Amino acid sequence: MAKPLRDLLSEVEDETTFIRFLSALRADCETTKHNCESRYEDCLEGDHFQTKSTQTFLRAAEDWARRGDFADGEHYGEPMLRRVATMLYVGKYLLREDAPRR
């Protein structure tokens, strides 16, 4: 059984573990495209990719990068590649303003 993305994310230390995470993120995205209904609620329940376009993915990743300690240049000793992996990970979730109204 494959490790959950969050576990792989916490293991990112170097290029090898970053690539392992990136491969799992891509696989998660591909699975979502094939197994997820187009309804937002279905993606939310299954922790699938909520972003369905490159535009919304990048908006979510950029939003994370512009806020908090990343924007302030703080990383508290965490490997930079893990910070970049986190930015990519959060790109799978829609921003509140992009989510469909319920």
Side-chain angles (χ1 to χ4, degrees):
M1 182 174 173
K3 281 189 175 184
L5 279 175
R6 285 184 183 258
D7 291 348
L8 291 172
L9 178 61
S10 68
E11 295 173 1
V12 172
E13 300 280 337
D14 55 21
E15 290 81 359
T16 301
T17 53
F18 177 78
I19 292 168
R20 187 177 306 134
F21 167 79
L22 194 57
S23 178
L25 184 67
R26 178 195 43 78
D28 184 47
C29 181
E30 289 173 353
T31 300
T32 296
K33 287 181 180 178
H34 292 97
N35 296 336
C36 187
E37 295 292 327
S38 59
R39 295 179 333 139
Y40 171 73
E41 291 80 12
D42 294 331
C43 292
L44 190 61
E45 290 174 15
D47 196 30
H48 298 160
F49 261 72
Q50 296 171 7
T51 54
K52 302 291 186 186
S53 71
T54 305
Q55 179 183 3
T56 56
F57 176 86
L58 291 173
R59 277 175 42 89
E62 180 185 12
D63 179 71
W64 180 86
R66 287 182 176 273
R67 294 183 285 119
D69 53 1
F70 189 87
D72 295 337
E74 299 290 335
H75 56 84
Y76 308 106
E78 201 172 46
M80 184 51 91
L81 281 174
R82 186 179 306 151
R83 305 286 285 166
V84 172
T86 301
M87 186 184 343
L88 294 174
Y89 176 76
V90 300
K92 73 182 257 180
Y93 299 104
L94 283 173
L95 294 174
R96 181 171 290 143
E97 60 266 23
D98 291 336
R101 292 187 173 190
R102 291 183 173 213

